């Protein structure tokens, strides 16, 4: 499924979840980003209807309980809504590593333009006199953030617009300017990467977003290039990254009976006055810190300093985001 279609489906679900009444196809077209068309143009309207039919079928295949009906006996056109009673999930208890996977998906929601588009759609519903349920989508706005380059790069990939940015690699002090035709942004081993055609090297290249320095700037006009079809971006990143050596050794203290996931990673475990002292091999201090933070007060990072500093920095960011939200 393409990224544009995924965004449209997500916004469609949010739109239908946010009201109890049935929405007609015309109301949905005027509300959900991606369905914009001229209803007076027969060909344009027919293209919308085909797109909408495909999306409805996709949602039903995914198990979304899409209902068809009318708000009153006077309505001539059928409408659509999602049955809340069938869509809601029971409470789910996740291990920290499972929660981290959910967090990755949540980051896409916050930073790929979905949140802004959904907010715009709900505003259109209110303007049209449709009652919007403010509780319907609670919990889908995470406080997790990703690299600042994420949004501009996903937008550039969607618009097929080349970009330029400064990029720093560990073995070189000064960042270098890169010019890229981005095909997409993917996550690999807890890190985000952009994959595309490097104009200066005339070859496919991958860049880790956390190493991009400063702003990502657009080059030229949208639609300037055509990405290859059905390209496996993850395989490019995996080949480019190669095997990750776990040369680091971190020491953490885990409360008795807690942090089962970390214990599976540990090469050594010794009892201590505050809990069990675990030795954890790692390749990336920030990635390990993210895992440690996921266990909350049940785990404390004792060393080395790069891991402790990364944990402290993550905790400061969490506190800052919650203070802003409050």
């Amino acid at each position: 499924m393409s990224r544009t279609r995924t965004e449209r489906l997500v916004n469609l679900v949010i739109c239908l979840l946010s009201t109890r009444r049935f929405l007609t196809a015309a109301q949905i077209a005027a509300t959900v980003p991606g369905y914009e068309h001229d209803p007076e143009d027969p060909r344009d309207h027919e293209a919308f209807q085909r797109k909408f039919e495909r999306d409805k079928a996709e949602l039903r295949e995914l198990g979304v309980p899409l209902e068809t009906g009318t708000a009153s006996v006077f309505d001539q056109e059928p409408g659509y809504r999602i049955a809340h009673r069938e869509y809601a999930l029971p409470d789910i208890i996740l291990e920290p590593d499972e929660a981290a996977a959910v967090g990755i998906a949540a980051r896409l929601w916050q930073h790929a333009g979905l949140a802004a588009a959904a907010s715009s759609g709900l505003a259109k519903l209110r303007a049209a006199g449709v009652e919007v349920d403010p509780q319907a989508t609670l919990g889908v706005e995470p406080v997790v953030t990703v690299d600042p380059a994420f949004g501009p790069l996903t937008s550039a990939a969607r618009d097929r617009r080349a970009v330029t940015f400064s990029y720093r690699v560990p073995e070189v002090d000064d960042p270098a300017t890169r010019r890229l035709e981005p095909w997409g942004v993917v996550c690999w081993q807890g890190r985000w990467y952009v994959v595309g055609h490097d104009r200066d090297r005339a070859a496919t290249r991958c860049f880790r977003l956390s190493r991009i320095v400063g702003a990502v700037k657009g080059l030229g006009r949208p639609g300037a290039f055509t990405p290859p079809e059905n390209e496996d971006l993850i395989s490019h990143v995996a080949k480019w990254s190669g095997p990750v050596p776990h040369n680091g050794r971190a020491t953490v203290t885990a409360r008795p009976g807690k942090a089962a996931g970390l214990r599976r990673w540990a090469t050594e475990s010794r009892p201590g006055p505050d809990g069990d002292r675990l030795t954890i091999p790692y390749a990336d201090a920030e990635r390990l810190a993210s895992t440690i933070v996921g266990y909350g007060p049940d785990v404390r990072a004792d060393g080395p300093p790069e891991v402790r500093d990364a944990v402290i920095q993550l905790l400061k960011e969490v506190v800052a985001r919650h203070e802003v939200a409050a």
Side-chain angles (χ1 to χ4, degrees), residues 20-164:
R20 301 288 181 174
R21 63 178 286 185
F22 290 97
L23 298 179
T24 66
Q27 290 173 316
I28 292 172
T31 302
V32 177
Y35 288 136
E36 299 88 349
H37 72 287
D38 182 2
E40 302 300 326
D41 184 335
R43 295 183 61 183
D44 200 20
H45 186 61
E46 183 181 352
F48 156 71
Q49 290 179 316
R50 290 197 302 267
K51 183 189 300 183
F52 186 45
E53 290 299 321
R54 289 196 302 267
D55 289 352
K56 287 191 297 181
E58 181 76 25
L59 290 182
R60 289 185 172 121
E61 289 178 6
L62 292 172
V64 177
L66 188 63
E67 293 183 341
T68 303
T70 57
S72 72
V73 295
F74 301 103
D75 290 340
Q76 300 296 318
E77 184 180 354
Y80 307 89
R81 70 181 182 186
I82 292 176
H84 287 249
R85 63 186 179 278
E86 298 178 18
Y87 191 69
L89 289 172
D91 291 339
I92 300 175
I93 300 175
L94 300 176
E95 288 292 323
D97 54 346
E98 297 170 326
V102 175
I104 290 173
R107 295 175 193 182
L108 282 173
W109 153 253
Q110 186 184 30
H111 291 275
L114 294 174
S119 298
S120 174
L122 298 185
K124 292 177 183 178
L125 284 179
R126 294 189 185 96
V130 177
E131 183 179 355
V132 173
D133 181 3
Q135 304 296 319
T137 55
L138 281 180
V140 295
E141 297 182 17
V143 297
V144 187
T145 60
V146 291
D147 304 287
F150 187 99
L153 287 173
T154 53
S155 297
R158 181 184 63 240
D159 298 337
R160 299 182 179 182
R161 185 183 186 189
V163 295
T164 181

Side-chain angles (χ1 to χ4, degrees), residues 276-294:
D276 298 326
R277 291 177 62 85
L278 310 178
T279 300
I280 309 292
Y282 71 94
D284 190 306
E286 293 180 5
R287 185 182 179 194
L288 176 59
S290 179
T291 301
I292 292 173
V293 169

Side-chain angles (χ1 to χ4, degrees), residues 224-265:
F225 63 90
T226 301
E229 295 185 4
N230 303 319
E231 194 74 12
D232 186 354
L233 303 185
I234 286 290
S235 67
H236 282 292
V237 177
K239 293 176 184 176
W240 175 77
S241 300
V244 180
H246 290 67
N247 297 327
R249 291 291 182 271
T251 303
V252 302
T253 299
R255 290 180 177 176
K258 302 295 184 180
L262 273 181
R263 292 177 186 275
R264 289 195 294 268
W265 292 2

